[in-house]
Structure formats: C-alpha cells, structure tokens
Amino acid sequence: MLKHTFRLIERMFHASYFDNFTSKETKSLKNLILFGSNWAYADLFVSSNFYLASKLHSLLIGTKMTISYLKKAKKTPQSGSDETRKIVADMLAKIEVGGEKTALAYGRDLDGYDGDAIVSAEIIAKSAERVSSQLKADIQFAYDRVTKFAEAQLASISEFETELSPGLWAGQKTIPIETAGCYVPGGRYAHVASAIMSVATAKVAGVTNVIACTAPNGKEGPNPGIIYAMNLCGADTILSLGGVQGIASLANGLFTGKPARMLVGPGNRFVAEAKRMLYGRVGIDMFAGPTEIAVIADDSADAAVVAEDLVSQAEHGPDSPAWLITTSRKLANDVMAQMDRHINALPEIARNAATLAWRDYGEVILCDTDEEAAQISDEYAAEHLEVHTKKDEWYTARLKNYGSLFIGEETTVTYGDKCSGTNHILPTRGAAHYTGGLSVHKFLKIVTTQRMTKDANREVGQAAARISRLEGM
C-alpha cells in the first residue's frame, strides 16, 4: 500500500501538479517523497504548505479538489523558523547560566529599560491613577465576561468517585497548579485584554501564585493599562520583562524564587519559540504565535465587512496570516479590491504591519463547494475562524479544526480578542488540529485515586498477578 501511495505521488509530480510551487521546501519534500521516505506524508501536513497537503490528501482519498488560489502567500507561518530557533536557544542558554543579571541585561538592550524587574506596589498605584475612568470601566466589562465564561468552564468538569466493582472505588480529582506564568505582550501594542484572558482565568481555576510578565515601553516601564488590568485580575507578582527574557524568568523563577509550572499567553515568534523549547520542563498552554484569521464566505457576505475583519488581524504584525476561503469569485475579487483601502486607513504602525502581512501571508482561495471550503479550512486549522454564509449552521456542525469560531457577521474576532468573554489565547500554526485555546482546564491537573476493601484487594491482585506474568514481570 505504501509503495502504491508513493507511485501515485510520483505521478503527481511528473504530471506537473505542482509546477507553481518551486520553493526550497517543496523541492525538498518532493525529493523525500520520490526517494521513498515513509515520513514524507506526515511531514507534508506539519509543514505549512497547506495547498500541497490538500492536493495530496485529495489524490489519496480519490477526490480531486477543484480549488484555485486567487492570491497565494509568499510566506508561510513556518518562514524564518530556523533563525528564530537559533536566536531563542542562545538567549535561553545564556539566561540559564547568567540568571537575573543576564535577563536584566537583555531588558536594557532590547527594551531600553533599566528599572527593577518587579513592579512595585507604588508603581501599581500610580498606574491606576493614569488609567481613565472609561478605560477602567471597559476593563471591568471584559473582566466580568471572561470570568463568567471561565467559571462556566470550571463547572463543566467535576470531581467524582465511582464503584467499578464490589469494594473497588476509583475517583477523579482536580488540583490547580501551584504557580502560573502569564505572559502579556506589551511591545508594538499594549495587549490589555491578554492580561485579563490569562490572569483572570488562572485565578478562577484556583492557581495560588500567578506571576504576570509584560514588556516595558522603554524607560517608562510597562503600559499603565496592562499593569492596572493585571492587578485587577489578581496577579500576585508583576514583572517588567518582555520577550524571551521574560519567558525565561518565569520558567526559572527568577526574581520571585517560584518557577512557573505552566506558561501561558500569546506573543511574537520569539516568545512562542521560547515556550516551545521550554515545554517538558514546564507546561505550556499551546503554540500561540503571531495571530491568524480565516474567513469562510459565500455570495451572501458583505465584502466590506470581510475585508475589514481580515485587516483587523493583519494589523497585529507583519507575519500575521489572513486567509479568505470562498465559493464566490465575485466576493473574492471585491474583497481583494478593498484591502488596500482598509489597510491605508490604519495608523502608521498598524498600516505598515498590515501591508506586509497581507502581501506576504495573505491568501484568497476559491472553492467550488461548501464541502471543499470546509476541507480547506480544516487543513489550515486557523486560530480565528469566521463564517459569513447562508449556511452558517451547516458550517458550525461540519468544521472541526479552529481555535475559536465566530458565526455570522454580527460577531467578529475583535470582540473575542477584547471583551466578549471567550478566551483569545488560541492555537496557531496548525496547533488547532490537536488542541483548543486557553481555559481553566489548562491550569488544572486531572488526577485519579483508588481505594478498595480486602476482598476487592484479593480479586484485583489475582488478575494483576496473571497480567504481570503474561507481560514477563
């Protein structure tokens, strides 16, 4: 079967299925396949060459997908990964050896901050004074909804004990982790909402010690709104450290003496890579790198709304993918025609980021059927997925892989990102294939217990002995 599969794949290449895909990654993959690597098919799906994956998947299941790219990304979420890994590995190693002194040095060099790492009670109080009453009310609005949703999540899982057989009881307990490290981006933008999403959720879960960390804005230190939100949500310690040095400080317990058992929060590619490298030594929520959006839309969608929603995520950074999956060529053309206008209306920093993001990572995919659109969406496994169609209910039931789903044009990613209640710390780079977003469950250990009577002990012991002997023990 494997040889037959590779012969089919070989025919695909020789039949020029991929003439338009001549990247180094694609050529390397082609060589792996043609020379018979058993892992090439798996590697294909974890690379971010989603179109190539869909073509291969369609051939193997006997259904050729009739999709076309009206706009193809020049880069993938994996672009630049090797360089990122090298930089992050070097920083983590140096901080491991140099400790707090090295972490502070990185803060001075990269963020222009030479103050104390721990944000004092005095600075917290002054930060609150600098936040307007309206913003305080808005932060409270978001906090109330995020907390309410997290409480509902907590109520969805319970402890129990059940009698499996006479005299044998097995149970489930939920134990909050002791220390959580919550990273809140504060560089290009002040992500106040990330403080609420991470810190408030950890506290609802029952985490005893929450250490929050954010990048300082030069000599002024962290954004006052972020500090205010962290404190409101219950952070026990706030660190003024960003990027890799912030993540390393949380994991190593620098400045607090309390190593984080779980690292959570979004960040740029360096933050995401630092979390990935530290995983195993410490738990992480997921791979939460640069933000992504996919929109599934048909001829009933409003092109202006779709374009605006795509831009609202592309503005986050120059490496933020924005994908439109549609069954309507007219809608696709209308959206593409409007993108520059929406991007040019942004403030300078956001405009520059969105321009690069749409140029390098933006895609428009035309599908013949709703099923094809759903298949492509599931292969991309976008962090944020919006559905603007006449068949929203069908898509809601059919779609399987996404971080968070926004159904209908009345809702949008921005609402979820800021204040509607669901968590905005979500899987990126295909991680939605195997995990959901941040929730109270990420801060809980689901453990088991058992107890039994003497009679049950004899019954279970005899079976355990026979199984042990079968296993050679």
Side-chain angles (χ1 to χ4, degrees):
M1 175 62 187
L2 185 60
K3 290 182 179 178
H4 176 65
T5 298
F6 283 115
R7 279 198 292 271
L8 284 173
I9 298 167
E10 185 173 5
R11 288 213 310 272
M12 291 169 68
F13 282 108
H14 292 319
S16 300
Y17 269 79
F18 307 114
D19 282 350
N20 293 329
F21 298 90
T22 56
S23 67
K24 182 178 179 182
E25 178 187 6
T26 305
K27 288 178 180 178
S28 174
L29 183 60
K30 174 179 175 179
N31 290 334
L32 281 172
I33 291 173
L34 295 183
F35 285 100
S37 169
N38 293 355
W39 291 103
Y41 184 50
D43 288 343
L44 182 60
F45 275 93
V46 299
S47 72
S48 285
N49 201 329
F50 299 106
Y51 179 69
L52 196 58
S54 70
K55 281 286 190 182
L56 177 55
H57 181 261
S58 299
L59 183 70
L60 293 179
I61 66 174
T63 304
K64 184 178 178 181
M65 295 181 69
T66 52
I67 69 169
S68 58
Y69 276 71
L70 304 185
K71 182 183 186 305
K72 188 75 178 72
K74 297 178 181 180
K75 298 180 180 180
T76 76
Q78 304 292 339
S79 298
S81 294
D82 290 343
E83 178 189 6
T84 302
R85 278 192 288 270
K86 182 178 179 181
I87 292 171
V88 173
D90 180 63
M91 291 180 68
L92 289 177
K94 288 179 178 177
I95 294 171
E96 179 81 25
V97 174
E100 295 178 0
K101 182 178 179 180
T102 302
L104 288 172
Y106 275 123
R108 286 193 299 271
D109 295 341
L110 300 176
D111 296 322
Y113 178 74
D114 56 5
D116 294 332
I118 295 180
V119 177
S120 67
E122 181 183 1
I123 292 177
I124 292 173
K126 288 182 178 179
S127 295
E129 294 173 0
R130 295 173 62 188
V131 178
S132 69
S133 57
Q134 181 60 65
L135 182 54
K136 287 178 179 177
D138 292 337
I139 291 173
Q140 186 70 47
F141 180 95
Y143 171 78
D144 290 344
R145 282 149 186 78
V146 170
T147 299
K148 186 174 181 179
F149 188 77
E151 288 170 346
Q153 287 182 320
L154 184 62
S156 73
I157 187 168
S158 61
E159 298 185 351
F160 66 85
E161 187 176 62
T162 183
E163 191 172 15
L164 301 178
S165 60
L168 168 58
W169 290 274
Q172 171 177 287
K173 288 178 63 66
T174 58
I175 302 176
I177 63 168
E178 299 159 293
T179 302
C182 299
Y183 185 83
V184 177
R188 183 183 292 110
Y189 303 111
H191 288 274
V192 172
S194 292
I196 303 169
M197 303 290 173
S198 57
V199 177
T201 304
K203 281 301 182 181
V204 170
V207 177
T208 303
N209 185 43
V210 176
I211 304 171
C213 180
T214 190
N217 184 17
K219 295 184 181 299
E220 295 182 4
N223 180 277
I226 291 179
I227 293 178
Y228 175 80
M230 287 175 167
N231 188 59
L232 172 71
C233 295
D236 298 285
T237 305
I238 300 174
L239 298 181
S240 180
L241 284 166
V244 176
Q245 62 271 25
I247 294 295
S249 296
L250 293 173
N252 290 297
L254 302 183
F255 309 103
T256 64
K258 298 176 180 178
R261 305 306 182 189
M262 174 69 69
L263 293 174
V264 304
N268 61 22
R269 59 194 174 106
F270 299 102
V271 168
E273 181 60 25
K275 287 168 60 182
R276 189 192 68 80
M277 286 186 171
L278 290 166
Y279 176 64
R281 171 176 164 182
V282 60
I284 66 171
D285 46 3
M286 72 210 76
F287 195 98
T291 191
E292 306 165 351
I293 182 174
V295 177
I296 299 176
D298 63 14
D299 56 8
S300 69
D302 185 325
V305 172
V306 173
E308 188 70 40
D309 286 359
L310 291 170
V311 171
S312 74
Q313 294 306 296
E315 70 173 320
H316 280 67
D319 50 1
S320 295
W323 304 307
L324 171 60
I325 304 167
T326 181
T327 54
S328 169
R329 182 179 290 273
K330 181 181 184 304
L331 177 81
N333 289 331
D334 288 347
V335 170
M336 288 190 291
Q338 295 189 39
M339 289 297 289
D340 285 347
R341 176 167 61 83
H342 288 287
I343 289 172
N344 289 333
L346 296 170
E348 182 180 2
I349 294 177
R351 181 172 66 250
N352 293 340
T355 297
L356 295 175
W358 180 244
R359 185 194 71 186
D360 294 340
Y361 293 88
E363 291 189 337
V364 178
I365 306 137
L366 182 63
C367 302
D368 275 358
T369 68
D370 293 307
E371 177 57 31
E372 283 184 354
Q375 286 184 38
I376 293 298
S377 177
D378 277 345
E379 284 160 5
Y380 276 51
E383 177 191 18
H384 306 102
L385 177 58
E386 294 186 0
V387 178
H388 298 224
T389 72
K390 297 186 293 286
K391 300 174 64 176
D392 288 355
E393 290 185 6
W394 180 86
Y395 275 105
T396 301
R398 165 64 182 79
L399 293 165
K400 298 180 177 66
N401 301 324
Y402 52 81
S404 189
L405 182 63
F406 300 82
I407 306 161
E409 69 172 32
E410 286 76 20
T411 188
T412 180
V413 172
T414 300
Y415 296 170
D417 268 358
K418 309 306 177 188
C419 60
S420 62
T422 57
N423 208 291
H424 81 190
I425 300 172
L426 301 166
T428 64
R429 290 176 63 174
H433 282 287
Y434 57 82
T435 188
L438 183 64
S439 70
V440 291
H441 307 122
K442 295 283 187 178
F443 298 103
L444 297 173
K445 296 180 291 184
I446 311 300
V447 298
T448 57
T449 63
Q450 61 177 269
R451 61 188 179 88
M452 61 186 70
T453 63
K454 288 184 177 180
D455 288 342
N457 173 285
R458 284 191 287 270
E459 180 185 28
V460 174
Q462 291 171 5
R466 289 190 290 270
I467 292 172
S468 295
R469 286 194 291 273
L470 175 64
E471 293 175 344
M473 298 181 183

